[in-house]
Amino acid sequence: MRAVIQRVSQASVTINGVKIAEIQSGLLVLLGVVDSDTSEDIEWLSNKLTNLRIFNDAEGVMNTSLKNSHGSAIVVSQFTLYAPVSYTHLRAH
């Protein structure tokens, strides 16, 4: 399982011009899952995401979790996180 997370003030998912999900403050999670991932992997990542202290507390310090900030999350399937990438094509000449 691979995830890219971004703290957002708002986010939405639109498919063919139709908004299917929307949140205010919270996390946008791009998630790649493979056959070998287990329910334990899902539980570990879920706990990690909800308890990651990346939101500002009352003093403006990043010390509050998604769970404690009462934020939301949008999780978007992103199978390309497992795509093979050839770095030889990325070199500057």
Side-chain angles (χ1 to χ4, degrees):
M1 198 173 297
R2 292 181 184 168
V4 176
I5 62 168
Q6 182 174 1
R7 185 178 73 168
V8 297
S9 57
Q10 63 181 16
S12 63
V13 176
T14 303
I15 299 175
N16 294 329
V18 178
K19 189 180 294 184
I20 61 166
E22 180 177 26
I23 63 168
Q24 295 306 309
S25 178
L27 296 177
L28 168 62
V29 182
L30 304 177
L31 182 64
V33 180
V34 293
D35 291 340
S36 60
D37 290 328
T38 65
S39 58
E40 289 82 16
D41 296 325
I42 295 168
E43 186 172 334
W44 180 87
L45 184 61
S46 298
N47 286 328
K48 186 71 170 178
L49 291 173
T50 57
N51 291 301
L52 192 62
R53 299 186 324 178
I54 62 172
F55 295 93
N56 293 344
D57 62 16
E59 287 79 41
V61 177
M62 287 182 20
N63 194 31
T64 302
S65 67
L66 180 67
K67 181 170 51 176
N68 292 334
S69 71
H70 305 289
S72 300
I74 287 183
V75 181
V76 179
S77 175
Q78 192 68 32
F79 63 89
T80 59
L81 291 174
Y82 278 98
V85 176
S86 173
Y87 294 104
T88 58
H89 299 298
L90 301 177
R91 291 187 192 150
H93 295 286

